[in-house]
C-alpha cells in the first residue's frame, strides 16, 4: 500500500476551505483502513509528523487530525499487532516525538525505484520501519518515551434500588413515555362521559353503525332488490350434473355433494333477499333515460349537487371538530387544562404542580402527544401508561382524555370516508357530462353502464357501516369494541369491510380454541394489505410469534407492507 500512496497536494489541503472539506469528507466516506493506499498508514503518518499540513481552520494542527483519523480505524486493524499499528500508537500518545526534528519522514519512491523496492522487499514502508527502529533506540528518544499514563478505573457507585412508587409523583426522573403492550381486546366508550364534553349520543351511535347517517341518507339513497336492479335471480340448483356411479355413491362423495348443495342454496337465498344501496334518480330504468329525457338527467345532477353540498358541509364540520378534540385531549393530558382543583392540596400541592409545569417547559418532564394517546388505547395498562406522565391527572380526567381520543379517531376516519365519496362523486359528474342526445347506441350503452357502476360505488361509499362496534347489551351507556380494529382504521384512513372483520374474528376464535384454520380469498380482497397486518397486530401480543409465509415473488411487497403498517402509530 505504500507503493501506491500519493501525498495530497499542499494547495488541496493546507489552506482550508471547500477543497480541504471535500478531502476529509472523501476520507470519511471511503473509510480509514491501515492497508489503504490513499487513506491508510502513509497518510496517518504524514499527518502526525506534520508532513501533510492539513487544515480546515487556520489554528488546526495536522497531528490532531492524524490522531482523530487513527481512532477511526476498524477494530480488525486495532487488534492486529503489526509494526505499523505500533508506530501509530506511539506517535498518537507522544506528540513531542511526532514533532522531533530527527524523526524519519515517509519517502515516496518514483518510477522504476518503486517497482524495484516492491520486488526486493525494500519499499517505502519497509524502509521507514527500519529507520524508525533505529530512531526509537536513540538515548534521547528512549528517555522521551517513558511510561504511559494509565488512568485509574473509576470506583463503581453503589447500586440504587428504586422502590415501587406509591404515587405517580415519585421517581419523576425515571418516567419515560412507553406503551406496556398492545394486547387490549375490549374498550368501553362511556357515552355519559362523552356527553360531559359536548359529544351527543346520536353522534356516537352514528359512529358505531353508519358514520354518515347524520346526513339523512334516506334523502339520497334507496335500497333496491335484484329485480329492481334488472339482475336475474340466483339459482339454488347446482350448476352441474354429476353422473350416477360408484364414485358418487360413496359416503365421502355424498357428504361433499350435500355440503355443496347446501352452500349453493344458502348463497342463492342470501343474494336473492339482498337489497343494494342505490342513489336516488340513478336506478337502471332512470339511467337508461338520461339520453332522451333531459328532466331525468337534470334531476340526477340536482341530486348529486345536493349530496356534494351536504358532504362538504359535514367534512368542514368534522375538520373543525377533529382539531378541537385533539387539542382538548392533549390539553387535559398535559394539564394545560387543569383537571384538578387549584389549591385543593394546600400550598405544597400547588408548588408541586408548578414544579411539574416548569419541568414540562424545560423538557425535564415527559409530555404526551396524540399518537401516544392513540397507541395507549391498545395497552392493558393504558391508564397507568398515561397517568405516569402526569401525576396531576385524575382517573376521571383520564377517562375524558380517552373518550376525546376515540371520538377524534372516529372523526378522522369519517373525514377520509367523506373525501372518498366526494372523489367518486366528481367522477360520476364527469360521466354525466358525457351524456348527449347525439351519442350513438353503442356509446350510449357504454356510458350508461359506466354511470350505473360509478353511482353504485358512490352509494356504497356513503352507506358504509362499521362492523366491530356495538352498544353494550348489559349497559346502554357504553359502546364496546376491540380497539385494535379502530386504531388500524385510523392509522390507514380506511373502513374495514364486514367480511374482513368476520374473517379476522374467526381466526382469533380459532386460535383461542387451539384449532387450525385455513381460508382462501380472491385477489383484491385485502389479504396482504388488511387481513394479514391486522392479524399480526392482534395475535403478536408479546406472547405469540406470528410468521408470514409468502411466495418468493411477493416477499419484497409483503415485507414492505408490514414495515409500512407497523412504522406509524403502532411500532413492531
Amino acid at each position: 500500500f505504500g507503493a501506491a500512496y500519493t501525498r495530497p497536494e499542499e494547495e488541496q489541503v493546507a489552506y482550508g476551505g471547500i477543497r480541504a472539506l471535500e478531502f476529509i469528507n472523501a476520507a470519511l466516506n471511503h473509510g480509514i483502513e491501515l492497508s489503504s493506499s490513499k487513506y491508510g498508514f502513509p497518510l496517518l503518518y504524514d499527518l502526525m509528523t506534520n508532513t501533510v499540513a492539513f487544515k480546515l481552520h487556520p489554528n488546526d494542527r495536522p497531528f490532531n487530525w492524524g490522531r482523530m483519523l487513527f481512532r477511526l480505524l476498524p477494530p480488525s486493524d486495532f487488534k492486529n499487532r503489526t509494526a505499523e499499528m505500533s508506530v501509530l500508537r506511539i506517535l498518537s500518545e507522544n506528540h513531542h516525538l511526532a514533532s522531533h526534528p530527527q524523526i524519519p519522514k515517509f519517502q515516496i519512491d518514483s518510477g522504476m525505484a518503486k517497482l524495484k523496492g516492491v520486488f526486493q522487499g525494500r519499499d517505502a514502508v519497509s524502509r521507514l520501519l527500519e529507520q524508525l527502529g533505529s530512531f526509537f533506540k536513540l538515548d534521547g528518544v528512549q528517555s522521551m518515551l517513558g511510561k504511559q499514563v494509565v488512568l485509574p478505573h473509576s470506583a463503581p457507585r453503589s447500586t440504587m434500588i428504586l422502590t415501587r412508587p406509591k404515587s405517580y409523583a415519585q421517581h419523576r426522573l425515571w418516567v419515560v413515555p412507553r406503551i406496556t403492550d398492545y394486547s387490549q381486546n375490549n374498550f368501553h366508550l362511556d357515552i355519559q362521559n362523552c356527553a360531559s364534553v359536548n359529544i351527543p349520543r346520536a353522534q356516537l351511535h352514528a359512529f358505531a353503525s353508519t358514520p354518515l347517517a347524520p346526513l339523512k341518507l334516506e334523502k339520497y339513497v334507496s335500497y333496491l332488490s335484484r329485480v329492481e336492479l334488472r339482475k336475474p335471480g340466483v339459482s339454488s340448483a347446482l350448476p352441474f350434473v354429476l353422473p350416477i356411479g360408484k364414485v358418487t355413491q360413496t359416503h365421502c362423495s355424498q357428504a361433499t355433494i350435500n355440503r355443496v348443495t347446501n352452500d349453493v342454496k344458502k348463497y342463492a337465498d342470501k343474494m336473492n333477499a339482498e337489497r343494494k344501496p342505490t342513489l336516488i334518480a340513478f336506478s337502471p330504468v332512470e339511467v337508461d333515460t338520461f339520453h332522451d329525457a333531459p328532466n331525468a338527467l337534470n334531476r340526477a345532477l340536482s341530486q348529486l349537487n345536493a349530496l356534494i353540498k351536504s358532504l362538504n358541509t359535514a367534512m368542514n364540520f368534522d375538520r373543525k371538530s377533529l382539531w378541537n378534540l385533539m387539542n382538548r385531549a392533549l390539553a387535559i393530558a398535559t394539564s394545560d387544562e387543569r383537571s384538578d382543583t387549584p389549591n385543593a392540596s394546600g400550598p405544597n400541592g400547588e408548588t408541586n404542580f408548578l414544579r411539574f409545569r416548569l419541568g414540562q417547559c424545560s423538557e425535564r418532564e415527559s409530555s404526551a402527544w396524540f399518537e401516544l394517546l392513540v397507541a395507549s388505547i391498545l395497552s392493558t395498562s393504558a391508564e397507568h401508561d398515561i397517568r405516569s406522565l402526569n401525576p396531576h391527572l385524575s382517573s376521571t380526567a383520564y377517562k375524558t382524555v380517552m373518550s376525546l381520543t376515540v371520538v377524534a379517531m372516529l372523526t378522522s376516519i369519517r373525514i377520509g370516508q367523506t373525501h372518498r365519496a366526494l372523489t367518486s362523486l366528481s367522477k360520476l359528474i364527469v360521466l354525466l357530462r358525457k351524456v348527449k342526445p347525439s351519442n350513438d347506441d353503442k356509446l350510449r350503452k357504454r356510458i350508461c353502464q359506466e354511470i350505473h357502476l360509478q353511482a353504485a360505488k358512490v352509494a356504497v361509499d356513503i352507506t358504509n357501516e362499521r362492523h366491530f362496534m356495538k352498544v353494550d347489551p348489559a349497559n346502554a351507556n357504553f359502546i364496546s369494541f376491540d380497539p385494535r380494529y379502530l386504531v388500524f382504521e385510523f392509522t390507514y384512513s380506511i373502513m374495514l369491510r364486514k367480511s374482513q372483520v368476520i374473517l379476522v374474528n374467526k381466526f382469533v376464535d380459532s386460535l383461542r380454541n387451539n384449532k387450525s384454520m385455513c381460508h382462501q380469498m380472491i385477489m383484491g380482497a385485502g389479504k396482504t394489505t388488511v387481513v394479514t397486518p391486522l392479524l399480526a397486530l392482534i395475535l403478536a401480543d408479546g406472547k405469540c410469534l406470528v410468521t408470514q409465509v409468502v411466495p418468493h415473488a411477493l416477499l419484497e411487497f409483503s415485507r414492505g407492507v408490514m414495515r409500512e403498517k407497523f412504522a406509524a402509530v403502532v411500532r413492531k
Side-chain angles (χ1 to χ4, degrees), residues 72 99 106 138 184 214 223 303 344 364 435 493 527 531 541:
L72 298 180
S99 58
F106 188 84
L138 297 176
Q184 182 63 269
Y223 289 81
Q303 189 76 1
R364 182 184 177 91
V435 175
S493 190
K527 297 185 296 294
V531 175
D541 57 358

Side-chain angles (χ1 to χ4, degrees), residues 292-402:
D292 300 319
N295 289 336
L297 180 61
N298 292 333
R299 179 169 174 261
L301 285 170
S302 176
Q303 189 76 1
L304 292 186
N305 288 331
L307 178 56
I308 290 173
K309 183 178 179 181
S310 296
L311 288 172
N312 278 320
T313 302
M315 187 162 66
N316 290 334
F317 175 79
D318 280 346
R319 283 175 172 167
K320 293 178 182 177
S321 299
L322 178 61
W323 178 258
N324 293 331
L325 290 165
M326 292 173 62
N327 285 341
R328 184 83 186 276
L330 288 173
I332 298 174
T334 59
S335 286
D336 285 345
E337 178 182 327
R338 292 193 67 167
S339 58
D340 60 339
T341 304
N343 298 311
S345 303
N348 290 336
E350 196 65 16
T351 300
N352 290 335
F353 176 78
L354 293 175
R355 184 183 292 115
F356 168 74
R357 295 291 286 154
L358 286 172
Q360 286 181 317
C361 295
S362 63
E363 298 184 357
R364 182 184 177 91
E365 291 280 356
S366 300
S367 296
W369 59 95
F370 189 72
E371 289 79 5
L372 183 73
L373 297 180
V374 171
S376 71
I377 295 174
L378 305 180
S379 174
T380 54
S381 57
E383 183 172 352
H384 169 77
D385 293 342
I386 299 303
R387 290 186 64 192
S388 63
L389 299 178
N390 183 353
H392 303 278
L393 183 69
S394 64
S395 180
T396 303
Y398 163 77
K399 292 179 181 178
T400 303
V401 170
M402 289 297 100

Side-chain angles (χ1 to χ4, degrees), residues 418-488:
T418 306
H419 186 269
R420 289 190 295 273
L422 287 170
T423 302
S424 299
L425 279 167
S426 64
K427 295 179 180 179
L428 181 55
I429 289 179
V430 170
L431 289 173
L432 290 178
R433 289 173 181 168
K434 295 181 180 179
V435 175
K436 297 177 182 178
S438 59
N439 293 339
D440 56 39
D441 292 341
K442 185 177 180 181
L443 183 58
R444 286 187 177 193
K445 184 177 180 181
R446 182 174 63 81
I447 291 176
C448 288
Q449 288 177 341
E450 291 179 357
I451 290 174
H452 178 68
L453 292 173
Q454 191 63 30
K457 185 178 184 308
V458 172
V460 171
D461 285 343
I462 63 176
T463 58
N464 265 343
E465 297 179 358
R466 183 163 280 114
H467 302 283
F468 59 87
M469 300 182 77
K470 61 182 179 180
V471 176
D472 193 334
N475 190 340
N477 288 322
F478 291 94
I479 296 176
S480 302
F481 60 95
D482 188 328
R484 294 169 293 191
Y485 288 109
L486 179 62
V487 171
F488 194 86

Side-chain angles (χ1 to χ4, degrees), residues 142-345:
Q142 287 283 335
S143 61
M144 294 173 67
L145 280 173
K147 291 185 178 181
Q148 296 296 320
V149 178
V150 179
L151 298 176
H153 291 288
S154 59
R157 295 182 179 180
S158 58
T159 304
M160 179 183 293
I161 300 177
L162 294 177
T163 58
R164 183 177 295 276
K166 296 179 180 179
S167 71
Y168 292 117
Q170 292 182 318
H171 305 322
R172 296 304 304 165
L173 289 179
W174 297 90
V175 174
V176 294
R178 65 186 296 268
I179 303 302
T180 304
D181 55 48
Y182 298 108
S183 303
Q184 182 63 269
N185 59 10
N186 198 11
F187 187 93
H188 298 282
L189 179 62
D190 190 338
I191 295 177
Q192 291 183 341
N193 184 266
C194 291
S196 67
V197 285
N198 301 321
I199 301 172
R201 179 184 291 264
Q203 191 75 270
L204 297 176
H205 282 290
F207 280 133
S209 54
T210 308
L212 290 177
L215 295 180
K216 298 182 178 179
L217 295 176
E218 62 275 7
K219 297 193 300 184
Y220 308 104
V221 178
S222 60
Y223 289 81
L224 304 182
S225 64
R226 293 185 67 87
V227 175
E228 293 170 318
L229 292 172
R230 291 182 176 179
K231 292 183 178 181
V234 179
S235 174
S236 61
L238 290 178
F240 51 84
V241 177
L242 290 174
I244 299 175
K246 291 183 178 181
V247 176
T248 59
Q249 298 303 314
T250 64
H251 172 74
C252 291
S253 298
Q254 287 296 313
T256 302
I257 293 172
N258 291 335
R259 182 176 63 82
V260 173
T261 302
N262 291 334
D263 287 349
V264 170
K265 184 178 184 305
K266 184 178 180 180
Y267 175 77
D269 293 342
K270 178 184 175 182
M271 296 305 295
N272 290 329
E274 193 175 38
R275 300 180 72 83
K276 294 283 188 180
T278 306
L279 290 179
I280 293 176
F282 283 87
S283 67
V285 175
E286 292 169 313
V287 170
D288 289 345
T289 63
F290 282 172
H291 284 86
D292 300 319
N295 289 336
L297 180 61
N298 292 333
R299 179 169 174 261
L301 285 170
S302 176
Q303 189 76 1
L304 292 186
N305 288 331
L307 178 56
I308 290 173
K309 183 178 179 181
S310 296
L311 288 172
N312 278 320
T313 302
M315 187 162 66
N316 290 334
F317 175 79
D318 280 346
R319 283 175 172 167
K320 293 178 182 177
S321 299
L322 178 61
W323 178 258
N324 293 331
L325 290 165
M326 292 173 62
N327 285 341
R328 184 83 186 276
L330 288 173
I332 298 174
T334 59
S335 286
D336 285 345
E337 178 182 327
R338 292 193 67 167
S339 58
D340 60 339
T341 304
N343 298 311
S345 303

